[in-house]
Amino acid sequence: MNEAETTAIRVEQTQQSRLPQVDFNNLKFGQILSDHMLVAEYANGHWADVSIVPYGNLSLSPATSALHYGQAIFEGMKAYKFADGTVSVFRPDKNNERFNKSALRLEMPEVPEELFIGGLKTLLDLDRDWVPNTDGASLYIRPFMFGTEAALGVHPSDSYKFIIITGPVGAYYNKPLRLKVETHFTRAAEGGVGFSKNAGNYALSLHPTRLAQEEGFDQLMWTDAIEHKYVEEAGTANLVFRVGDTIITPSADTILHGITRRTIVEIARHWGYQVEERKVSVKELVDGIENGSVTEAFAAGTAATLTPITELGYEGKRYTLSDPTTREFSNKVLQYLNDLRYGRIEDEFGWNLIVD
């Protein structure tokens, strides 16, 4: 797709905004959607028909390939409003980069930066009043793409639809997490698609998560598919631990390469902490909780931000971690991230993309 096709965005504004109906003091995650959405079509080897239109339903053939063969990927990011009204998106270039890695793995076309970032900025400029101006709230951004070929047969779709929708949100988790270490079901295997943000990864998590919730847990701590020996993710977020003055986060091709985790790792190194990205065994974690060397544990992700883990269930026993209010590193880095994303401190890393 050439630059002229990419940057020529047709804009159709809604005739009646739903904004006056929104209670910004009661934002349920993912249930309120903004007035407009960006839509682009891919066919014959290029992107075209880029438009911003009123949010609304899609019309699809029952034979739409994504419904049958799962060619569907997405991203999650957030926009924030500074005290002076400036709207900023946190590190969207990294989301574009990860989106395209997911696309390549599922044999889908890449979305060029001028469409992903340029289209997003145009959309946010139009719906900037939807970005909450209260602390702890933000505008969640969901870019996604799926195969649209209306034909049955296991092969890559010959056409795709790329869409960005947004909506104001509060916190995804409103309390610390109690996790069950999963030793039967598997989220992802080596050589698979665990590193990508594809719809199937989340569908297969729903049943085991419900079973864990029936046992009194909030989410799962996923382990490796071969031995269930190494910890991987916390539900839909990455895991981070503090052992002494070392920040440790599990790393493998089966784990989603989270933007928030990456940011925390970069901040920790900048502050002088030792950081290790490596395999972490369940035994190492449980032993560390018991002997007190694991002083902090939290889930990190766009939706979760930083959510403390206070309890771990493993083989019928529950392990309790420290009071989240006493945790030095996670509280410090969360405060820093909030100050940075809301424009209260200098953006020394250049991570905020300002919507002009």
Side-chain angles (χ1 to χ4, degrees):
M1 182 175 185
N2 63 43
E3 185 174 348
E5 289 175 308
T6 304
T7 55
I9 302 176
R10 180 181 68 86
V11 177
E12 177 189 342
Q13 289 190 246
T14 183
Q15 296 300 305
Q16 186 169 1
S17 174
R18 290 174 285 105
L19 190 60
Q21 304 167 21
V22 178
D23 179 2
F24 280 90
N25 295 313
N26 184 29
L27 296 174
K28 295 182 179 180
F29 200 99
Q31 295 188 23
I32 303 170
L33 284 308
S34 309
D35 279 332
H36 300 92
M37 60 184 185
L38 180 139
V39 182
E41 308 285 347
Y42 182 90
N44 302 316
H46 67 274
W47 289 101
D49 300 325
V50 184
S51 59
I52 292 175
V53 297
Y55 179 88
N57 294 337
L58 304 175
S59 178
L60 299 173
S61 163
T64 296
S65 60
L67 301 178
H68 301 272
Y69 308 116
Q71 268 192 303
I73 61 174
F74 66 94
E75 272 299 321
M77 50 186 147
K78 288 179 177 177
Y80 301 84
K81 185 167 286 184
F82 297 175
D84 65 0
T86 297
V87 172
S88 171
V89 190
F90 190 70
R91 307 194 78 174
D93 57 320
K94 299 305 177 188
N95 293 95
N96 187 195
E97 178 184 294
R98 187 173 65 181
F99 190 83
N100 284 334
K101 287 181 179 179
S102 297
L104 288 172
R105 181 61 181 85
L106 270 69
E107 197 57 30
M108 303 169 78
E110 295 184 57
V111 176
E113 183 175 323
E114 60 266 27
L115 171 54
F116 192 98
I117 303 295
L120 174 61
K121 290 182 70 175
T122 303
L123 177 64
L124 293 180
D125 184 41
L126 184 61
D127 277 348
R128 63 174 54 243
D129 289 344
W130 282 84
V131 184
N133 57 10
T134 53
D135 196 34
S138 58
L139 187 78
Y140 187 76
I141 303 165
R142 171 55 59 85
F144 62 103
M145 175 169 58
F146 60 94
T148 56
E149 182 180 0
L152 302 180
V154 183
H155 60 265
S157 175
D158 66 3
S159 60
Y160 297 86
K161 193 181 289 286
F162 172 67
I163 300 176
I164 304 178
I165 57 177
T166 70
V169 297
Y172 189 76
Y173 295 117
N174 55 17
K175 63 178 182 178
L177 296 176
R178 298 163 297 170
L179 302 183
K180 176 190 175 182
V181 178
E182 181 55 62
T183 57
H184 175 68
F185 294 102
T186 297
R187 175 190 169 273
E190 292 286 345
V193 293
F195 68 89
S196 69
K197 237 174 144 52
N198 70 86
N201 278 351
Y202 295 82
L204 61 79
S205 73
L206 302 177
H207 177 62
T209 299
R210 181 182 63 79
L211 295 180
Q213 289 169 345
E214 289 176 354
E215 295 181 45
F217 297 98
D218 301 302
Q219 264 291 355
L220 293 173
M221 181 175 284
W222 293 104
T223 55
D224 69 283
I226 299 174
E227 302 176 274
H228 293 294
K229 180 179 177 181
Y230 298 97
V231 302
E232 295 198 336
E233 293 196 11
T236 58
N238 291 135
L239 288 163
V240 183
F241 311 108
R242 181 181 179 182
V243 182
D245 282 331
T246 301
I247 306 304
I248 302 174
T249 182
S251 179
D253 286 343
T254 51
I255 298 174
L256 183 71
H257 300 164
I259 313 302
T260 303
R261 182 186 70 167
R262 176 175 181 163
T263 299
I264 292 166
V265 164
E266 292 173 4
I267 292 171
R269 287 183 172 140
H270 181 69
W271 286 348
Y273 287 88
Q274 178 71 27
V275 177
E276 297 178 3
E277 299 178 74
R278 60 170 174 83
K279 286 188 174 183
V280 179
S281 70
V282 179
K283 184 179 187 307
E284 177 186 1
L285 180 58
V286 168
D287 288 349
I289 295 172
E290 286 195 307
N291 65 33
S293 61
V294 175
T295 56
E296 302 187 43
F298 56 90
T302 299
T305 309
L306 268 70
T307 304
I309 299 165
T310 54
E311 187 178 284
L312 201 65
Y314 179 57
E315 294 185 338
K317 184 176 179 180
R318 300 202 179 207
Y319 300 85
T320 303
L321 289 100
S322 62
D323 179 354
T325 62
T326 67
R327 300 182 187 181
E328 179 190 7
F329 175 76
S330 51
N331 288 326
K332 180 182 177 183
V333 77
L334 178 59
Q335 185 62 56
Y336 179 84
L337 278 173
N338 283 336
D339 288 343
L340 178 63
R341 293 179 299 191
Y342 288 105
R344 295 191 287 257
I345 59 175
E346 179 186 356
D347 181 13
E348 57 184 318
F349 301 103
W351 286 338
N352 290 327
L353 176 71
I354 303 302
V355 178
D356 300 319

